[in-house]
C-alpha cells in the first residue's frame, strides 16, 4: 500500500487537504494525524472493521483498547452510558486537552474498538488538525499512538513514516507534538479516581479539581492491570535503556562508571543527560533531553531522542532520572517502561 503524505499548515490547516484525509476515514481507512500529545493512528471508531485495521497496522495486541477522539461534547453522549458528575468539572477544565476519561460504553461502540471491555476511553484533543479531521470525517476517531507496538510513540510525521510507511493509507504532517508524551488516562468508574497512565495533565492539576487521586502502579508488572496497555513492553528503542536515579552528583558518577564499563565490553554507549548536567560528560553520544526544572522541555523531546539514539546506532542508553513531579511523573513512567525496569539507584 502507498502511504499518502499530506503536509498542512499547522496554524491554518488547508481544509481541502483535511477533506482528502477525512474521505479515507469515512471509507474505513487509516490516517495518522498530529495531536498535542503524540501522533495518533486514526480510524472510524464506530466501524469495527476499520478499528481492527489499526491493530494489524501497529501489530498491537487485540486486547489493548483504543482511545476514541471527539471534537464536540455532543459526540460524548453517543459513546457512553452515562457521564458521572465528577467528569463534568474535569471536562470543563481540561477539555480540549491531554486528558482521557474512562466511561461505561454505549451499545454503539464496537468491541473491536474497546478490546472487548465494557468501558470506553474518550478524549477531546487540543489540536486544530485533529479537531478538523474529526469534524470533516463526521465520526469519532479511534486512535492509539501511530507507532509499531512496543516502539517509542511518534511526535512528528517523519517518525510516523519510519514505522508506518506502506502500512497505512495516509499521514497528515502538522509539525511537532507539543507535549511529546501521551494523554493522562483517568478511570472514573470507581469511588476514587485512578490515574491508569500519567500523561499531559498532571496529578497535581487533577487533585486541584478532584481532591485525592490514586496512581495505579502499573510498572511492577501486575498481571491484570485496569489499563490493558500497561502490561506490554512499550516505548522501547532498539538499544537497552538503563535509568539511573538518585541525587544528581551520584547519578553523574554512576553514569560515568557504567559508561566506562559498557565501553570496555565493546558496547556503543549513549547518555541521555539534562541541560544542567550535559557538560559533565564527554564523548559524541551525549544528548541533553532538556531542562530538569521544566519537564515539558524534556517530555516534548523524549521519544524523538530515543529514536535518534537508534539512528546513531548505540547499544546502550544511560538515562538520568528526574523528579516525579508535574510532567516529570509521565516522563519517568515512560523511561521506566522503556528500560524494562532496568532502574539503578545511585
Ligand atoms: P495509546 O493511545 O497507544 O497510548 O493507547 C491507549 C491507552 O489507553 C492504553 O494504555 C490503553 O490500555 C488505555 N485504554 C484505552 N481504553 C481503555 C479502557 N476502556 N480502560 C482502560 N484503559 C484504556
Ligand atoms: Mg501507544
Amino acid at each position: 500500500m502507498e502511504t499518502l503524505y499530506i503536509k498542512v499548515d499547522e496554524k491554518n490547516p488547508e481544509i481541502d487537504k483535511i477533506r482528502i484525509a477525512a474521505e479515507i476515514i469515512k471509507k474505513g481507512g487509516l490516517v495518522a494525524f498530529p495531536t498535542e500529545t503524540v501522533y495518533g493512528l486514526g480510524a472510524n471508531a464506530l466501524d469495527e472493521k476499520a478499528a481492527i485495521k489499526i491493530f494489524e497496522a501497529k501489530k498491537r495486541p487485540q486486547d489493548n483498547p483504543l482511545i476514541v477522539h471527539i471534537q464536540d461534547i455532543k459526540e460524548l453522549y453517543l459513546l457512553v452510558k452515562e457521564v458521572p458528575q465528577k467528569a463534568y468539572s474535569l471536562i470543563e477544565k481540561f477539555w480540549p486537552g491531554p486528558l482521557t476519561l474512562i466511561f461505561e460504553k454505549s451499545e454503539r461502540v464496537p468491541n473491536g474498538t474497546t478490546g472487548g471491555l465494557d468501558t470506553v476511553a474518550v478524549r477531546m484533543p487540543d489540536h486544530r488538525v485533529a479537531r478538523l479531521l474529526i469534524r470533516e470525517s463526521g465520526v469519532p476517531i479511534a486512535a492509539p499512538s501511530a507507532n509499531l507496538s512496543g516502539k517509542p510513540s511518534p511526535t512528528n510525521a517523519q517518525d510516523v513514516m519510519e514505522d508506518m510507511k506502506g502500512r497505512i493509507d495516509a499521514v497528515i504532517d502538522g509539525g511537532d507534538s507539543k507535549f511529546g508524551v501521551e494523554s493522562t488516562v483517568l478511570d472514573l468508574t470507581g469511588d476514587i479516581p485512578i490515574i491508569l497512565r500519567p500523561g499531559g495533565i498532571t496529578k497535581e492539576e487533577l487533585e486541584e479539581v478532584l481532591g485525592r487521586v490514586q496512581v495505579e502502579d502499573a510498572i511492577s508488572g501486575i498481571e491484570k492491570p485496569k489499563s490493558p496497555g500497561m502490561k506490554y513492553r512499550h516505548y522501547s528503542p532498539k538499544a537497552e535503556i538503563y535509568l539511573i536515579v538518585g541525587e544528581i552528583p551520584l547519578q553523574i558518577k554512576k553514569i560515568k562508571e557504567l559508561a566506562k564499563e559498557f565501553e570496555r565490553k565493546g558496547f556503543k554507549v549513549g547518555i541521555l543527560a539534562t541541560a544542567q548536567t550535559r557538560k559533565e560528560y564527554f564523548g559524541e553520544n551525549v544528548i541533553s533531553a532538556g531542562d530538569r526544572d521544566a519537564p515539558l522541555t524534556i517530555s516534548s523531546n523524549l521519544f524523538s531522542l530515543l529514536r535518534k539514539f537508534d539512528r546513531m546506532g548505540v547499544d546502550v542508553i544511560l538515562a538520568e532520572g528526574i523528579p516525579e513531579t508535574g510532567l516529570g511523573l509521565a516522563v519517568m513512567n515512560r523511561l521506566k517502561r522503556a528500560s524494562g525496569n532496568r532502574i539503578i539507584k545511585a
Side-chain angles (χ1 to χ4, degrees):
M1 155 190 318
E2 178 112 26
T3 300
L4 184 65
Y5 184 88
I6 306 171
K7 170 83 192 147
V8 299
D9 177 351
E10 56 195 286
K11 298 262 153 50
N12 239 323
E14 301 87 340
I15 195 71
D16 49 324
K17 292 186 181 173
I18 301 288
R19 284 185 181 141
I20 293 170
E23 278 308 311
I24 296 172
I25 297 281
K26 283 188 205 168
K27 286 189 185 130
L30 300 185
V31 177
F33 61 96
T35 82
E36 78 278 27
T37 57
V38 301
Y39 271 63
L41 178 57
N44 179 352
L46 304 179
D47 175 349
E48 185 153 46
K49 273 201 196 125
I52 284 169
K53 284 188 197 165
I54 292 178
F55 291 88
E56 289 165 357
K58 278 180 63 82
K59 302 185 182 167
R60 180 178 176 102
Q62 294 267 354
D63 68 347
N64 190 1
L66 310 175
I67 294 172
V68 179
H69 294 70
I70 60 174
Q71 55 91 34
D72 188 290
I73 193 73
K74 277 185 256 147
E75 295 155 352
L76 176 64
Y77 301 103
L78 300 175
L79 300 171
V80 307
K81 269 214 180 104
E82 60 167 347
V83 179
Q85 201 51 46
K86 277 186 289 236
Y88 283 107
S89 45
L90 294 170
I91 288 170
E92 193 170 318
K93 180 121 195 234
F94 299 115
W95 279 10
L99 177 66
T100 295
L101 299 174
I102 309 289
F103 301 92
E104 283 185 45
K105 83 171 189 71
S106 75
E107 298 292 311
R108 295 195 54 173
V109 184
N111 285 324
T113 299
T114 63
L117 296 177
D118 304 330
T119 53
V120 60
V122 186
R123 162 168 125 79
M124 188 188 287
D126 184 18
H127 193 292
R128 275 196 190 83
V129 174
R131 301 283 295 273
L132 280 173
L133 178 66
I134 303 165
R135 194 189 77 189
E136 293 300 311
S137 301
V139 289
I141 294 185
S145 50
N147 51 286
L148 284 173
S149 197
K151 294 266 157 213
S153 302
T155 53
N156 58 67
Q158 286 68 43
D159 289 352
V160 173
M161 283 301 247
E162 187 175 281
D163 283 13
M164 289 298 166
K165 189 166 187 233
R167 304 181 68 81
I168 62 175
D169 297 289
V171 54
I172 307 178
D173 182 351
D176 291 342
S177 294
K178 173 180 158 206
F179 284 92
V181 287
E182 299 84 350
S183 59
T184 303
V185 178
L186 186 70
D187 184 358
L188 292 174
T189 58
D191 289 338
I192 300 172
I194 305 175
I195 295 176
L196 301 181
R197 173 178 75 183
I201 298 295
T202 64
K203 177 171 187 262
E204 293 86 344
E205 287 174 301
L206 291 174
E207 284 182 331
E208 271 178 36
V209 177
L210 293 172
R212 204 168 79 84
V213 175
Q214 225 167 287
V215 182
E216 178 163 90
D217 175 24
I219 308 295
S220 48
I222 34 177
E223 281 289 291
K224 236 184 166 318
K226 284 211 178 66
S227 184
M230 284 303 186
K231 68 174 181 259
Y232 296 109
R233 182 184 146 91
H234 216 153
Y235 315 118
S236 306
K238 293 188 199 97
E240 284 201 343
I241 298 187
Y242 291 79
L243 177 61
I244 290 80
V245 299
E247 307 260 322
I248 297 174
L250 299 179
Q251 281 186 10
I252 295 170
K253 189 163 166 270
K254 189 78 196 168
I255 287 176
K256 285 180 172 168
E257 280 169 22
L258 287 168
K260 262 204 196 126
E261 211 177 298
F262 280 115
E263 275 160 4
R264 198 163 1 95
K265 289 182 188 153
F267 292 113
K268 184 167 173 180
V269 176
I271 295 175
L272 189 60
T274 49
Q276 284 83 348
T277 60
R278 166 72 185 81
K279 288 210 170 77
E280 300 286 337
Y281 306 103
F282 304 98
E284 296 152 29
N285 307 321
V286 184
I287 301 180
S288 162
D291 179 349
R292 37 169 75 239
D293 297 327
L296 179 60
T297 65
I298 297 180
S299 68
S300 58
N301 285 318
L302 181 66
F303 287 138
S304 64
L305 290 179
L306 296 184
R307 284 174 182 266
K308 183 171 176 181
F309 276 123
D310 271 352
R311 288 193 295 270
M312 290 158 66
V314 307
D315 305 301
V316 171
I317 299 169
L318 304 175
E320 281 180 13
I322 64 166
E324 291 178 271
T325 50
L327 271 176
L329 184 66
V331 168
M332 286 296 281
N333 170 275
R334 306 308 187 268
L335 280 172
K336 285 176 185 174
R337 303 210 45 223
S339 78
N341 267 334
R342 283 182 288 258
I343 303 167
I344 295 173
K345 177 101 177 68

